[in-house]
Amino acid sequence: MKTEYPEAVSAVQQRLAEILPSLDQFVFLAPVLIMILGAFVALMTGVFRGRMSEPHFPSYGIALVSCATAALVPFVLWPTRPLALFGSGILLDDVSKLGFVVVALGTLLTVSMASLTNVGRLLLRSDMVALLLFASAGMMTMLAAGEFLSFFVSLEIMSLSLYVMVGYQRESAQSLEAAVKYFILGSCASGFILMGAALCYLHVGSLSFADWGSIRFSVTETPLTILGGILLFSGLGFKLAIAPFHSWAPDVYQASHSTLTGYMATLVKFSVALVMMRLLGTGFGQESEILVTYFWLVGAVSIVIGSLFGLVHNSVKRILAYSSIANAGYFCLAFATLAKDPGSLVAREALVAYGVIYVILSLGAFAVLAWLEEGNREDLLKEDLAGLGRRSPFVAVSFTVFLFGLAGIPPLAGFFGKFMLIGSAVSADLIGLSVVLVIFSCLSLYYYLSIMVEMWLRPESRHTVNVVVGGEFAHLNRVVGLLVVLSILVGVLGPRWAQALNFTVAVEEKLPSAAAAPEPNTNTQNAEVVDGP
Amino acid sequence: MAVVHEWILTLLIFFPLAGIVGLYVLPASAVGAQKAFALGVCMVELLLSLHLVAYFLPGLSDFQFAQRLEWLPRSTGIEYIVGVDGMSLILVILTTVLCPLVVLSSYSSITKNMREFLALFLLLEASMIGALVALDLVLFYVFWEAMLIPMYFIIGIWGGKERIYATTKFFLYTVVGSLLMLVAFAYLYYLHGQIPGNAPTTSLIELYKTAASLPLETQLWLFAATAFAFAIKVPLFPFHTWLPDAHVQAPTPGSVILAGVLLKMGTYGLMRISIPMFPDASKVAAPFLISLSIVGIVYGALIAWRQTDIKKLVAYSSVSHLGFVVAGLFALNEQGFNGALYQMVNHGISTGALFLLIGVIYERRHTREMSEFGGLAKVMPWYAVFFVIATMGSVALPGTGGFIGEWLILLGVFKADPLYGVLAGTGVILGAVYMLWMALKTIWGPITKPENNRLQDVGPRESFVLGTLCVFIFVFGFASHPILDHAQTTLVHLKRSVAMGEPYRARLVSMNELIAEQQEHHVASATKRLENKRSDSKTESEDRAQ
C-alpha cells in the first residue's frame, strides 16, 4: 500500500499529526480509559476463575472501582474550555462531562444492584462485567463523539456488548430469542444508520457533525439527503425504542434480567438522546420542516403506542417497557424543537434534564423490580403485587415514587422533565404534539395506577410475592433508597444541572488546511488505512 | 414578630409535613397517641393561621405576608412566592378550621391503618394550604397535583366497595384537566419570555400583565385550558361524573375534606387564575359558563332528588351548589364575586356537616339507603337537631350563611342577565325540595325499621364536631360583614380590572414593611391612607414592586 499511494500516506500522516492529542490532553479521556482498562483487567482476572457460571467477585470489585473513579475523574480533570480531540472525534464539553458522570454512576448502580440479588449475581461473571464496562465506555465515547465514525464505532461497541448480555442466560429459550431478535433488528438499525450517514456524506463530503450543519433538505434538489437523514434518525430511533421501531423493546426487556433491563432502558436511551441533541443541535438540515414533521409523527406514534399498548398488559416489566417507549416519545418533543430551531436552549435543557431524570426513575423502577423478582419467578404480573404495600411498605413506597415520577406527578422528579419538554415544544409552536403528550400521558397514568391499585388498594393474596428484606439484602434498601431520595430531591429542587450546563460545543482547533477540496478524500483514505491492518 | 410575619405562610405549608415525621416517630402501636398528635398538629396549624387573621389588613388588595425565595435557578424565573389576599385568606382559614374537625371525625370512621391515614391527611392539608397561598404558577401546579396523591390513597384504601373504580376515575379526571393547564402555563411562560425586555418568570403577578395583554384568540385558548382544569375540579356540569363516585366511596373524613376544601380549589383557581389573567376571554366565555352552571344547578338538583342513597344525594347537591358558585363568579360583578366566595365557605361547612352526619348513621347501620331510616328524631334527638340545622344551612334558609351567599349570587346573576337569574333561582327551590325530602325520609315520620330503635344518639366527640359546624352555619348567617370585609377590597379590585379589561395589579407586600409604614403614619388611618396612596400613584407602587 505504501508504495502505491505515497501521497495519500503522507496526507494521512500529516492528518494524524494534526489530530492526535498531546499527552496532557489525553488525561481528559481518563474516564473512558479507566472503564476500558477495568474491562480488560476484569477479563484477565476472569482467567483464574473457578467455574464459568459462577459470579466472579474480583471483577465485580474492579467494576465498582473503575466506575466510581470514572465518575469522579471528570470533576478533577477536565479541560477549562470545551476541547475537541482526534479532530472532532471526541468533544470534551459540558454535555460530555455530564454524560460521563451519569453513565459511570448508572453503571455503578447497575453493578451494585446486580451484586445484591442472587439472579443478578449471575451477571457478575468476569466476561459479563467486562462487557458491561465496554458498553459503558462505548456510551461515553458516543456521547462525546463529534463526528460520525467515532460515534458509529462507539455505538457498535455498546450494541455488540448488549447483544451478548441479553443472551447471557444461555439455557433460557426466551432469553436467546430476545438476544437474536435484538441482534438482527439492531444490526438492521446499524445498517440504516450507516446508509443514512453515507447519503449525508454524499451531500457534504464530510463526516463531522459540525459540517453536517450545512446540509440542506430540499425535495427537488437533494432527495437522497432527505432519505439519508430519515434513515439515520430511524436507526437512532431504533436504539431509543421510538415507535415504529419499538417492537423489540418489550420482548428484550422482558427476557433480560431486570437489572440489565434497567441498564439498557436508561443509559442507552440517555446517551442516544444526547447524540441526537448534538446532531440536531448542529443544525442538521437547516430548513428541516421535514425533520420536524418526522419527529412530530414518530413522537406522537410512540407516545400513543407506549400509552395504549401498555394498558392491555399484565406483566409489570412489559408495562414498564411500554412506558419507556412512551418516554422515548416524550424525548421527541425536544428533538422536534431542535429540528425547528437548532439553537434552542430550552430544548437542550429539557433533553439534558429529562434524560437524567429518566435515568434515575427508570433505573429505580427496574431496581425495585429486580428486588421483587428475587426469590420469586421472573416476569411478575400485576396481581403478584397485590397487597405489597402492607407486606413490604418500603419496596412499595419506592415503587410508587418511581411510577408517580414516571407519570410526571409533582413533587417528584418526572414533573420538571415534562414541564421543560412541554415548554420547549410550545416554544417551537408544537402545541399539537404537547397536547398529544398530555392526553396520552393521562392514559398511560392508568397503567401506573393499576400497579398502584394492586400494591396499595387490594388485599394480599396467595400470589403475592414475598420480598426478601434485610439480611444479606440490606444493601438493596440503600441503593433503592438513594434513588428514591434523588427522585424526590430533583422533584423539589428542580433539575439544576440543566441550567448550570454550558452548551457550547467544542470545535476542532487545528482545522485542516483551508483548501476544502482534498478534505473528503483524506477522510475516506484515512478510514481505509485504519481499517487495513 | 417580624420573623413570624415573614415566615408564617411557609410555616403553615410545612408544619403539617413536620407533623408527618412526628407521627412516624411515635410507636406504631400507640394509635391513641397518633390520633391525639395529629389533632394537636391540626390545632396548632389553626392557631398559626389565626395569626393571619389578626394581622391581615382588609383594606388592601395586595398579597400580604408575602415571601419570595429562590427556588429553581434564577435563569428559569421559577420562584417560591407565597402570599395571601382576601380570597385566599378566607379559604385558608376554612381549611385550617375544617382539618381538626375532620381528624376528630376520623377517630371512629377510620378503623384500620390509622397512622397512614393521618399522615396522608396531613400531607393533604399541607398541599391544600400550599395551593391556596402559592403565587407562582409552577409552585401552584406542584401543590395542585400534590393534593391528588393523598386523596387518591384516602379514597382507595379506606373507601367503600367500589373504591378502586372511584379513586382511579377521580385521579384520571383531575389529571387530564391539570395537564392541559400545564401546557397553558408553559405556553404563557414562553409568551412572556418572547416580549422584549422580559425575563422569563412564572410569577403570577408578572404573568397577570402579560396574559391580559394577549390577543383575544390566544386568551380564549389559554382561558379554556385553565378553566377546563378548574371546571373538572369544581366540578362543573358536564365534568361532574367523578364526583358522585368519589364522594360515595370515600370514607367520611375524605368526603368532608373533598366537599369542604378540595372542590373549592376549582372555584378558587377560576378566581385566582382564569378570570384575572384573561379578563377579555372571561367576558366572552361568561355566558357559556353561566349556562353550563345553570344546567348543572338544575340537573344536579333533579338528579339529587331521585337518589335513594343519602350520600349520593348530598354529592349531587354539591354539583348543584357549586353550579351557583361558578354562576356567581361569571356574573363578573361585585355581588357575584362576593356571593361566590361566601358560598364556597358555606358550602364547605354545611355540606361537610352533612357528610359527617351521614357518616354517623353509616357507622351505626352500615347502610346509606334512605328507605332504611325514618323517624330517627325519636331515637336520636340531638342527631336530628344537627341534621336539621345542616339541612337548613344547605337549603339556604335566612339566618344561615347559605342564604347570604345564594342571595348575593342571585343578585349578581340577575344583574348580569335577568334570564340567568330566573333560571338559577329555580335551583334554590329545587334545593329546598330534595333536601327537605331527605330530612323527611330520614329524620321524621314513624320508625319503620326495628333496627333503628336501638340506635345510639351522637356521642360527645361527634356532638362537638357537629356542634362547631352548626355554630358556624349560624355565625355565617349573621356575621357576614366582618367576614366579607376581609375580601371586599380584593374582590372589588378584581371586578374593576375585569370590567376595564385591564391586567390585575397587585403587589407583594411584606407585613414588616407595612407595619413600619403604619408606625410612621398614625396607626388608626394607616390602612386607608395606604389605599389612597396606592390609587393616587399607581405607577409609583409598580416601581416599588419591581
Side-chain angles (χ1 to χ4, degrees):
Chain A
M1 224 153 67
K2 269 179 189 170
T3 47
E4 280 175 57
Y5 306 105
E7 67 282 358
V9 171
S10 69
V12 168
Q13 279 168 345
Q14 190 196 339
R15 173 81 178 136
L16 272 178
E18 272 170 3
I19 63 174
L20 271 183
S22 57
L23 201 61
D24 57 328
Q25 288 175 326
F26 242 112
V27 292
F28 298 132
L29 285 175
V32 184
L33 297 177
I34 289 169
M35 295 296 252
I36 294 177
L37 189 71
F40 279 125
V41 176
L43 262 186
M44 299 299 269
T45 52
V47 174
F48 307 106
R49 74 197 150 177
R51 257 177 296 169
M52 266 286 265
S53 56
E54 272 178 5
H56 185 250
F57 288 100
S59 46
Y60 159 65
I62 290 161
L64 283 188
V65 171
S66 38
C67 289
T69 340
L72 284 177
V73 164
F75 291 105
V76 188
L77 276 177
W78 200 255
T80 43
R81 61 197 167 73
L83 185 71
L85 299 181
F86 305 109
S88 43
I90 302 279
L91 305 180
L92 297 175
D93 46 23
D94 267 15
V95 176
S96 317
K97 182 177 175 182
L98 176 87
F100 283 6
V101 174
V102 170
V103 170
L105 286 181
T107 317
L108 182 68
L109 280 173
T110 309
V111 175
S112 42
M113 272 310 297
S115 75
L116 294 174
T117 57
N118 284 323
V119 190
R121 280 195 198 114
L122 297 179
L123 264 179
L124 295 180
R125 287 159 18 191
S126 60
D127 45 347
M128 300 303 293
V129 169
L131 284 171
L132 197 69
L133 292 177
F134 275 133
S136 296
M139 285 175 199
M140 286 174 163
T141 42
M142 181 165 82
L143 288 161
E147 52 100 44
F148 182 76
L149 276 181
S150 65
F151 154 70
F152 189 74
V153 170
S154 354
L155 180 79
E156 285 306 295
I157 291 176
M158 176 194 85
S159 304
L160 285 170
S161 317
L162 285 176
Y163 300 145
V164 181
M165 281 195 279
V166 169
Y168 85 103
Q169 291 167 307
R170 269 170 300 177
E171 54 285 3
S172 147
Q174 205 191 10
S175 166
L176 282 182
E177 182 199 322
V180 170
K181 204 179 236 172
Y182 190 30
F183 175 62
I184 292 177
L185 290 175
S187 329
C188 278
S190 299
F192 275 35
I193 294 175
L194 271 181
M195 188 66 198
L199 290 174
C200 293
Y201 177 78
L202 194 67
H203 182 68
V204 280
S206 160
L207 285 173
S208 132
F209 291 166
D211 293 336
W212 284 7
S214 63
I215 289 180
R216 293 275 185 288
F217 273 10
S218 144
V219 184
T220 45
E221 290 164 32
T222 54
L224 280 181
T225 320
I226 297 178
L227 185 65
I230 302 275
L231 281 175
L232 180 65
F233 287 115
S234 303
L236 285 169
F238 171 89
K239 302 286 175 193
L240 268 176
I242 291 176
F245 317 107
H246 65 285
S247 56
W248 59 275
D251 291 336
V252 173
Y253 285 7
Q254 199 176 14
S256 343
H257 181 254
S258 296
T259 314
L260 187 60
T261 315
Y263 179 79
M264 282 197 298
T266 56
L267 294 182
V268 175
K269 287 197 182 190
F270 169 76
S271 28
V272 175
L274 289 195
V275 170
M276 298 276 264
M277 182 175 96
R278 280 196 195 284
L279 272 173
L280 292 164
T282 51
F284 193 91
Q286 286 171 344
E287 294 166 32
S288 46
E289 268 312 310
I290 295 168
L291 275 187
V292 177
T293 320
Y294 174 78
F295 282 117
W296 205 109
L297 283 178
V298 293
V301 170
S302 27
I303 292 172
V304 170
I305 286 184
S307 309
L308 289 185
F309 287 18
L311 293 175
V312 297
H313 284 286
N314 238 357
S315 146
V316 178
K317 220 167 175 181
R318 250 189 138 74
I319 290 178
L320 284 179
Y322 279 104
S323 134
S324 90
I325 293 170
N327 273 291
Y330 301 162
F331 281 119
C332 288
L333 267 77
F335 297 153
T337 312
L338 276 176
K340 191 152 196 168
D341 170 18
S344 169
L345 182 66
V346 265
R348 284 183 170 78
E349 285 183 355
L351 263 180
V352 169
Y354 198 60
V356 179
I357 289 171
Y358 179 71
V359 168
I360 297 173
L361 293 172
S362 218
L363 210 56
F366 281 107
V368 172
L369 210 53
W371 191 356
L372 290 174
E373 282 167 1
E374 181 63 22
N376 303 296
R377 65 198 173 85
E378 284 205 31
D379 194 17
L380 295 171
L381 300 181
K382 279 192 284 194
E383 288 81 18
D384 297 330
L385 305 184
L388 191 72
R390 217 134 303 143
R391 195 171 279 190
S392 337
F394 179 77
V395 186
V397 166
S398 326
F399 208 28
T400 307
V401 167
F402 297 133
L403 292 179
F404 270 136
L406 284 170
I409 304 286
L412 299 168
F415 162 68
F416 277 115
K418 229 175 229 179
F419 179 71
M420 293 172 81
L421 283 175
I422 292 177
S424 85
V426 294
S427 77
D429 245 351
L430 298 164
I431 297 171
L433 191 55
S434 328
V435 172
V436 170
L437 181 150
V438 161
I439 290 175
F440 284 92
S441 67
C442 291
L443 285 175
S444 68
L445 191 56
Y446 184 81
Y447 54 69
Y448 297 125
L449 283 183
S450 69
I451 299 179
M452 236 83 83
V453 162
E454 293 294 340
M455 285 197 302
W456 294 103
L457 311 186
R458 290 211 198 279
E460 292 172 49
S461 72
R462 63 192 172 86
H463 299 294
T464 308
V465 288
N466 273 313
V467 187
V468 206
V469 181
E472 58 171 325
F473 300 107
H475 287 296
L476 271 171
N477 279 345
R478 281 162 216 153
V479 176
V480 172
L482 174 77
L483 287 166
V484 169
V485 170
L486 267 182
S487 45
I488 294 175
L489 268 187
V490 172
V492 173
L493 298 175
R496 285 161 178 273
W497 64 88
Q499 281 91 27
L501 223 54
N502 176 4
F503 289 97
T504 320
V505 179
V507 279
E508 211 173 318
E509 270 170 28
K510 287 177 267 176
L511 278 174
S513 49
E519 176 58 14
N521 277 332
T522 326
N523 263 348
T524 32
Q525 284 170 12
N526 190 349
E528 255 175 42
V529 175
V530 172
D531 281 353
Chain B
M1 205 39 103
V3 182
V4 181
H5 284 318
E6 177 147 12
W7 287 88
I8 180 74
L9 290 177
T10 307
L11 186 65
L12 277 173
I13 297 173
F14 291 100
F15 182 68
L17 296 181
I20 297 176
V21 179
L23 267 181
Y24 277 88
V25 171
L26 290 172
S29 54
V31 177
Q34 289 160 12
K35 287 175 178 172
F37 181 78
L39 181 64
V41 171
C42 287
M43 289 305 292
V44 174
E45 178 89 354
L46 172 60
L47 290 178
L48 289 174
S49 71
L50 291 182
H51 176 93
L52 298 181
V53 184
Y55 291 92
F56 186 81
L57 298 178
L60 224 58
S61 66
D62 293 319
F63 295 107
Q64 306 180 25
F65 302 99
Q67 192 178 25
R68 190 171 195 159
L69 298 174
E70 210 162 300
W71 178 24
L72 259 67
R74 199 179 288 273
S75 63
T76 59
I78 300 172
E79 287 169 281
Y80 174 91
I81 310 174
V82 290
V84 282
D85 63 357
M87 318 179 215
S88 40
L89 173 78
I90 290 179
L91 292 173
V92 167
I93 303 298
L94 173 71
T95 312
T96 53
V97 168
L98 274 178
C99 281
L101 298 176
V102 173
V103 170
L104 269 178
S105 80
S106 70
Y107 282 11
S108 56
S109 51
I110 300 297
T111 48
K112 53 170 188 181
N113 304 334
M114 195 66 197
R115 178 158 69 169
E116 284 67 34
F117 175 82
L118 293 171
L120 286 171
F121 185 77
L122 290 177
L123 182 62
L124 186 62
E125 181 171 13
S127 41
M128 288 187 302
I129 305 262
L132 286 172
V133 301
L135 293 178
D136 177 283
L137 286 183
V138 173
L139 187 67
F140 171 79
Y141 188 83
V142 167
F143 285 123
W144 174 268
E145 289 280 72
M147 288 190 298
L148 278 181
I149 299 176
M151 202 59 207
Y152 171 76
F153 287 116
I154 286 178
I155 300 178
I157 298 180
W158 292 274
K161 230 181 233 148
E162 298 287 323
R163 59 183 196 276
I164 293 173
Y165 170 75
T167 196
T168 309
K169 192 168 174 181
F170 159 73
F171 200 101
L172 290 179
Y173 251 87
T174 323
V175 165
V176 173
S178 40
L179 277 172
L180 281 174
M181 176 165 81
L182 185 66
V183 176
F185 286 175
Y187 192 52
L188 196 58
Y189 174 63
Y190 162 70
L191 287 178
H192 181 84
Q194 286 308 100
I195 298 171
N198 273 357
T201 178
T202 50
S203 151
L204 200 55
I205 295 162
E206 294 290 315
L207 289 178
Y208 278 146
K209 292 176 202 156
T210 315
S213 58
L214 292 174
L216 183 63
E217 205 198 351
T218 323
Q219 267 200 37
L220 273 173
W221 278 110
L222 293 172
F223 175 83
T226 55
F228 180 61
F230 299 131
I232 288 177
K233 197 87 176 182
V234 170
L236 190 66
F237 177 86
F239 312 115
H240 64 281
T241 57
W242 63 269
L243 182 74
D245 287 311
H247 260 319
V248 171
Q249 299 304 328
T252 306
S255 293
V256 177
I257 207 72
L258 189 61
V261 187
L262 282 185
L263 301 189
K264 273 73 211 178
M265 289 295 170
T267 42
Y268 171 74
L270 289 172
M271 276 177 115
R272 167 69 71 227
I273 292 177
S274 302
I275 295 177
M277 262 195 175
F278 313 109
D280 300 334
S282 312
K283 270 185 272 186
V284 174
F288 176 66
L289 280 161
I290 296 188
S291 310
L292 274 187
S293 35
I294 288 172
V295 173
I297 293 170
V298 178
Y299 172 87
L302 290 176
I303 301 277
W305 191 4
R306 297 309 305 153
Q307 296 306 315
T308 55
D309 181 322
I310 315 178
K311 213 169 180 185
K312 231 174 188 163
L313 188 150
V314 179
Y316 276 108
S317 85
S318 291
V319 176
S320 181
H321 283 142
L322 284 155
F324 268 109
V325 176
V326 177
L329 282 180
F330 282 93
L332 297 179
N333 51 36
E334 222 178 299
Q335 290 82 358
F337 285 144
N338 269 312
L341 184 64
Y342 207 57
Q343 191 59 5
M344 275 149 81
V345 180
N346 286 315
H347 176 262
I349 291 171
S350 57
T351 310
L354 280 171
F355 277 120
L356 284 171
L357 286 158
I358 295 165
V360 168
I361 48 172
Y362 183 74
E363 276 166 38
R364 288 165 172 67
R365 284 290 317 276
H366 296 284
T367 175
R368 290 183 296 250
E369 283 299 308
M370 256 192 276
S371 53
E372 287 288 318
F373 299 104
L376 289 184
K378 295 197 177 66
V379 284
M380 305 170 77
W382 278 107
Y383 180 79
V385 170
F386 294 132
F387 198 96
V388 171
I389 295 175
T391 311
M392 293 309 147
S394 180
V395 171
L397 215 67
T400 63
F403 173 71
I404 295 170
E406 287 195 0
W407 167 251
L408 282 169
I409 289 177
L410 284 178
L411 215 61
V413 176
F414 260 108
K415 216 167 149 189
D417 190 334
L419 176 67
Y420 293 140
V422 172
L423 289 173
T426 58
V428 182
I429 302 167
L430 287 170
V433 172
Y434 62 79
M435 289 310 289
L436 294 176
W437 180 261
M438 175 184 81
L440 173 73
K441 287 272 201 118
T442 47
I443 301 289
W444 311 117
I447 296 179
T448 47
K449 302 275 170 185
E451 301 94 309
N452 291 342
N453 276 321
R454 298 189 308 275
L455 287 185
Q456 271 203 325
D457 206 351
V458 282
R461 180 181 51 80
E462 290 162 327
S463 303
F464 173 74
V465 175
L466 292 168
T468 316
L469 289 175
C470 288
V471 167
F472 273 118
I473 291 176
F474 286 122
V475 167
F476 277 82
F478 291 103
S480 57
H481 252 290
I483 296 159
L484 275 178
D485 273 354
H486 279 89
Q488 192 67 21
T489 328
T490 313
L491 295 177
V492 170
H493 186 52
L494 175 63
K495 189 247 150 184
R496 204 181 298 148
S497 70
V498 174
M500 312 282 279
E502 275 180 0
Y504 185 83
R505 284 174 208 283
R507 297 177 302 155
L508 290 175
V509 293
S510 103
M511 290 319 269
N512 298 326
E513 276 171 34
L514 270 186
I515 287 166
E517 275 181 74
Q518 242 178 352
Q519 281 163 351
E520 224 169 85
H521 303 70
H522 201 270
V523 180
S525 58
T527 322
K528 195 153 197 161
R529 232 178 293 155
L530 261 173
E531 183 64 13
N532 289 342
K533 203 173 117 197
R534 217 173 59 82
S535 51
D536 285 349
S537 52
K538 256 187 183 163
T539 39
E540 190 194 305
S541 60
E542 270 175 53
D543 289 347
R544 205 181 318 156
Q546 280 157 8

